[in-house]
Amino acid sequence: MTVAAGPSEAVPAPPAEAAPSTPTSHVEIIPLGAAQEVGRSCVIVRFAGKTVMLDCGVHPGFSGLASLPFFDVIDMSSVDVMLVTHFHLDHSAAVPYVVGHTNFRGTILMTHATKAITSTLLRDFVKVSKGGADAGLYTEADLDASLERTHVINFQQTLCVNGISITAYRAGHVLGAAMFMVEIAGQRILYTGDYSRVPDRHMPAADTPSPPPHIVIVESTYGVSRHLPRAERESRFLQRIHTAVARGGRVLLPVVALGRAQELLLILEEHWAAHPELHGVPIYQASGLAKRAISVYQTYIEMMNADIQAAFAVANPFAFRHVTHLRSARAFDDVGACVVMATPSMLQSGVSRDLFEAWCGDARNLVVIADFAVQGTLAREILAGPAEVLTRAGARVPLRCQVDAISFSAHADFPQTSGFLDALAPPHVVLVHGEAGEMARLARALESAAAAAGRPRAVYTPRATQAVLVAAAPARPALLRGGAAAAGAKPGAALAGVYVAAPGAGGVAAPPPPPLVLEPEDLPRYTRLHTGRVTLRQTLALHAPFDQVRLALELLFEGVHGAGDLALVSSDQCATANDREGAPVAPQILRVGEAVTVSYDPASAPGRLTLEWQGGPGADAVADAVVAVVLGAGPAPPPRLSRLDAARAEALRGGDGEALARVEAELVEALLSAQFGPAATDPETGLTFLEVDGAHVLVDCKSRGVRCADAGLKARVERAITRLEAAMRACPLEG
C-alpha cells in the first residue's frame, strides 16, 4: 500500500495487510484497478469503520485471473457494499467472481437497467469464455448468485446500507449508467465511473450532484484531450463510410455490443434513410447480444434523453429498417460493399477480429475505431499505422486498409471534466481510469486551473493498490430541537443534550430520519421516549469506625476536588453525645457532593452502611469514590488524629472545657496538615502557619480566623475549618 501524501503523487508506505477496516481519521481510497490504466475498474473507499467497493470489472487487455482487480490486498469480508456504475465489462464482469470465489458478504447495488443488461451481457461472457483463457473465472451459478445479491436503485434516490448513505445520479455514458455519492460519517465521496456531460442521440448529459462532495473520484480517460463537436464528428464519420462503400470497400466498426453500438446505429439509420443511393449497401449488426438488448432499451426508454422519448411516442427509433442482424461470420456473404458492426471493440477476438484479418489487406476497406482504444490491444496497435499485423494464427499479414479513429466514446474530455470539477469545487480529486501520461497531464492542468482561480484543490494519481489518505474527522450530524435549538450551538463548543438516533433498519433501506439533540424534557415532544429516574441503593460492610469513614470522606473530597458542591460532605443527622460511656449511638446520615446519601444505623444494621443516589454520570462518579473510601481505598487517619479524637472524647466526658478547646485546636491543625500540607504552630501565640503552592496562610486555631493574600486559598481554608467544626459538633435529635 502507499500513502498519497500530496497532490499528483503517491509516496510508498509499508505493505498493506488483508485485515478488516477500523475507524480512522482519514478517508482511505485504494484503487484495485483502473489506476494509471484503463480497465478492471475497482476502487475501495474506507472511512469510520465502513468499506465501499466502487465497480468490479475486468481488463480487456488481459485474460483469466490476470484480468481481475487486485482483490488479494484487502479483506473482502470487510466490504459492506459494492456499487456498480454500469454494465460494461471493465466495470462489472468481475462481480460474479467476487461473489463465488471470495469471502465477500456485502450488498451489491446498481440501477434497474444496469442489472437487466448485466445479466444478459455476463451470460454471454460466460458462454464466450468457455474453452478460452477466461474459462473458469466463474460459472452461470456464480452469476445467478450475484444477481440474487443485487439490489436496484433509481436515479436521485438515496438508500442506506449499514449506515452508509448512497445516492445515484445520471452519468450519461450508456443506458443505466450512474454516478454514486457515498456519505459516511459526514464525509461525501462522489465516484463518477464513466460519465459524459454532453448529450448524444439517445443519452442525456450527466447530472451535477448536490450537495457538493468533499472528494471526487473521477475518470481521466481522455486526459487533456478535447472531443470534436458532435456535428463535426458525425459528419466526418458518415463521410468516411460513404466514401469507402462508394468505392466498393467494406467498413468494419468494432464496437462494444451495448452503448456506442446503439448510438452509431441511430446515426447510420438516419443517413441511409436520407440517401437512397445507399439502400443497396447492407448494414450488418454482428451481435446477438446487441439484438437481445434492444428490448431492454425499449423497456427503459424513460432513462434516455427527451429526443428519443419524443421519437418513441411516434415510432420505435430502435426498430431499424436498414440494419440486418448477422447471426455469425460463417453466415456472412462477403460480397461487395457493406458496413459491419461487430464485437469486441478492441479486436482481441470474436467476429470483429475475424473480419479484420479477412479485410485488412484490401486498401479499399476501412476500419473505424469509434471508442477509446485500450493500451495493449490490437485496436490501439493499428492506430499507430504498422505495415504488418500478427494474426491469431501467428502469421504476419500486411495492413493496407484504411484505419481511422473517430471518437464517439461517451467519456468526459478535458473541458467536461474541468467544468464539472469547477461546478462541484471539491478540495480533493482522485484520478482513475486513465493511462499514466494522460492522467499526469490532466492532474497538472486541474491543479493549475484551481491555483489560478484561488481555489484549494489537491489532485492525486495513485497506482494500483496505492492508497490515498485524506484527513477527515468522522462527524455525527444532528438537528437541534426544542430547548437545545433555543440555546444554539457555537462552532467548536461542546454541545450538551440527549443524542437520539433512529435504529438502522438493516439491509438496504431508505435513509433513517436525521438524529436529534434534545433537552431531556423535550424527549416526549419530539420522540416516543420519556425521561425517568433510577434510584440506586448499595449496602456495604463497614470495617472501620463510622467516624473514621466520615473523616476519610472529608479528606478525600476536599483534597481531590477542592471547593465546590462536589466536595461537600454534610451531616443531616449526627450522633448524640451522651455522658454515659457506651450509650446507644443514633442513626447517622451523610450527604456527599449533594448527590450520594450515606446512612449508618448501628442499632438496626450494625457493621453495615447504605449508599443511595439517583443514577447519572456525576452521581455515579461520586458513588464510586464513596464506595472506594468505605472499602478501605481511602487514606487511613494518621495515629495523631486517633489520639486527639480519644482525648477530645475524654474532655467531653469530663466536662473540661479548657482541655476540649486545646484538643480541638490541635485537631484543626492536624486536619489542616492532612488537607493542605505540613503546618507549624507557634506555642506562644497559638497561630498555625501553612504554605500552599507558594502562598502563605496564617490560622488562629482558637478563634478560627484565617489570614492569606490569596483570596481563593483563604476561602478554601475557611471552608475546610467550617466543615471540621461541623464534624466535631453534635447535632441535636429532632423531636
Side-chain angles (χ1 to χ4, degrees), residues 521-535:
E521 56 269 20
D522 289 327
L523 284 171
R525 178 181 176 188
Y526 293 98
T527 72
R528 296 182 180 179
L529 303 175
H530 295 269
T531 57
R533 294 184 177 181
V534 178
T535 299

Side-chain angles (χ1 to χ4, degrees), residues 551-562 625-626 628-629 633-635 675:
L551 179 60
L553 287 173
E554 283 281 2
L555 293 173
L556 176 66
F557 278 90
E558 178 63 24
V560 174
H561 296 283
V626 173
V629 169
Q675 295 186 47

Side-chain angles (χ1 to χ4, degrees), residues 87 117 173-176 200-204 257-270 285 287 289-325 341:
F87 56 74
I117 298 176
H173 193 60
V174 295
L175 179 63
D200 56 25
R201 285 179 174 254
H202 73 295
M203 292 305 303
L258 302 170
R260 293 304 86 197
Q262 285 66 42
E263 178 76 3
L264 298 181
L265 287 173
L266 289 168
I267 295 171
L268 292 172
E269 176 74 12
E270 181 183 274
Q285 181 189 49
S287 172
L289 174 62
K291 182 181 179 182
R292 294 194 300 274
I294 286 296
S295 62
V296 178
Y297 273 69
Q298 294 168 356
T299 301
Y300 295 101
I301 200 77
E302 78 281 354
M303 288 189 175
M304 300 182 199
N305 62 28
D307 292 342
I308 282 290
Q309 294 183 43
F312 193 80
V314 178
N316 183 359
F318 294 105
F320 302 117
R321 296 177 55 194
H322 300 281
V323 180
T324 303
H325 173 61
M341 192 174 294

Side-chain angles (χ1 to χ4, degrees), residues 649-661:
E650 181 66 26
L652 282 171
R653 283 194 296 271
D656 188 344
E658 183 178 348
L660 180 63

Side-chain angles (χ1 to χ4, degrees), residues 533-554:
R533 294 184 177 181
V534 178
T535 299
L536 296 96
R537 187 176 292 109
Q538 185 172 1
T539 299
L540 301 172
L542 189 61
H543 301 292
F546 183 75
D547 289 343
Q548 182 175 322
V549 170
R550 178 178 176 180
L551 179 60
L553 287 173
E554 283 281 2

Side-chain angles (χ1 to χ4, degrees), residues 409-467:
S409 175
H411 293 271
D413 62 0
F414 177 69
Q416 294 180 49
T417 297
S418 60
F420 186 62
L421 294 176
D422 286 346
L424 296 176
H428 299 277
V429 176
V430 181
L431 300 183
V432 295
H433 199 284
E435 294 173 1
E438 292 294 340
M439 189 179 286
R441 284 188 285 273
L442 177 59
R444 289 193 293 271
L446 293 175
E447 287 174 336
S448 298
R455 182 182 299 117
R457 177 185 291 168
V459 184
Y460 307 90
T461 59
R463 294 187 294 273
T465 73
Q466 289 184 311

Side-chain angles (χ1 to χ4, degrees), residues 260-398:
R260 293 304 86 197
Q262 285 66 42
E263 178 76 3
L264 298 181
L265 287 173
L266 289 168
I267 295 171
L268 292 172
E269 176 74 12
E270 181 183 274
H271 187 72
W272 252 244
H275 292 80
E277 71 275 17
L278 295 176
H279 290 181
V281 179
I283 303 172
Y284 296 107
Q285 181 189 49
S287 172
L289 174 62
K291 182 181 179 182
R292 294 194 300 274
I294 286 296
S295 62
V296 178
Y297 273 69
Q298 294 168 356
T299 301
Y300 295 101
I301 200 77
E302 78 281 354
M303 288 189 175
M304 300 182 199
N305 62 28
D307 292 342
I308 282 290
Q309 294 183 43
F312 193 80
V314 178
N316 183 359
F318 294 105
F320 302 117
R321 296 177 55 194
H322 300 281
V323 180
T324 303
H325 173 61
L326 185 64
R327 291 183 177 275
S328 67
R330 292 188 299 273
F332 175 50
D333 185 11
D334 189 6
V335 177
C338 64
V339 178
V340 179
M341 192 174 294
T343 60
S345 63
M346 296 297 100
L347 298 171
Q348 64 266 42
S349 60
V351 176
S352 66
R353 181 62 174 265
D354 293 338
L355 293 178
F356 171 78
E357 292 183 1
W359 293 350
C360 67
D362 190 336
R364 296 175 300 169
N365 298 337
L366 170 68
V367 178
V368 178
I369 305 299
D371 206 342
F372 180 81
V374 177
Q375 187 74 41
T377 63
L378 180 59
R380 183 64 167 266
E381 179 185 345
I382 64 174
L383 289 178
E388 296 179 332
V389 292
L390 188 67
T391 67
R392 283 191 292 176
R396 290 205 165 273
V397 296

